[in-house]
Amino acid sequence: MIENNMRLEMPSKSQNEAFARVVVASFASQLDPTIEELADIKTAVSEAVTNAIIHGYENAKGIVIIECSIEDNKIKIIVQDHGKGIKDVERAMEPLYTSKPELERSGMGFTVMETFMDNLKVFSEEGKGTKIIMTKELNTVSIEE
């Protein structure tokens, strides 16, 4: 069993969303993912980070924390904020639900994350923040086998 970890903390600025995508994609690349697998990971990370910035901090100053770990051929990605939290996680995860219709948000962030990752868990507490845990098993063959 091979395990590897990384942690990134960055200001909750919208321009850092693209940076987060690249960092996580670079970390995941050690598993030799397909282009499609890499695109799935990047899309899910974009949605999670965007949610933290727009909904968690409401574009105020804060820190978005990303932790990734690889074990065998599975990547686990945690995106966390210490923002306002989600009042009703179950409702927030419903397709097309958005708490910010004035921003023309589609309400598909969690649905996109669920679609592109194998597993999605969302933990949130009002006034304390949100933690999103995503995992994806990659169809890679280890060179060591």
Side-chain angles (χ1 to χ4, degrees):
M1 174 173 64
I2 299 171
E3 189 176 330
N4 194 1
N5 308 307
M6 75 99 182
R7 178 181 168 99
L8 169 69
E9 291 187 27
M10 60 188 188
S12 59
K13 295 181 177 187
S14 59
Q15 57 266 39
N16 283 338
E17 175 267 327
F19 176 66
R21 283 170 57 105
V22 171
V23 170
V24 175
S26 296
F27 183 77
S29 68
Q30 62 192 297
L31 289 174
D32 196 24
T34 65
I35 291 172
E36 184 178 333
E37 288 171 331
L38 209 50
D40 290 354
I41 290 167
K42 288 165 79 174
T43 301
V45 168
S46 286
E47 293 294 336
V49 170
T50 298
N51 275 0
I53 294 167
I54 290 176
H55 298 288
Y57 291 116
E58 298 185 316
N59 291 313
K61 288 182 180 178
I63 299 291
V64 177
I65 302 159
I66 300 173
E67 295 177 85
C68 297
S69 61
I70 290 175
E71 191 173 307
D72 298 325
N73 65 331
K74 186 182 287 186
I75 186 165
K76 177 176 164 183
I77 303 162
I78 300 171
V79 178
Q80 185 171 0
D81 66 67
H82 298 291
K84 70 176 205 167
I86 301 170
K87 184 175 186 173
D88 185 345
V89 172
E90 200 171 298
R91 181 156 187 234
M93 292 182 73
E94 290 176 8
L96 303 178
Y97 172 79
T98 180
S99 62
K100 301 221 177 279
E102 71 280 5
L103 296 180
E104 297 182 20
R105 306 297 301 165
S106 69
M108 295 297 289
F110 286 124
T111 303
V112 168
M113 289 178 238
E114 281 183 307
T115 300
F116 291 119
M117 301 301 279
D118 294 331
N119 195 348
L120 171 70
K121 292 179 183 167
V122 180
F123 303 95
S124 191
E125 190 175 336
E126 276 191 285
K128 294 192 176 179
T130 302
K131 183 181 209 175
I132 297 171
I133 303 172
M134 304 178 281
T135 57
K136 185 169 187 74
E137 191 168 323
L138 304 180
N139 296 316
T140 55
V141 179
S142 174
I143 296 172
E144 297 171 10
E145 291 178 5

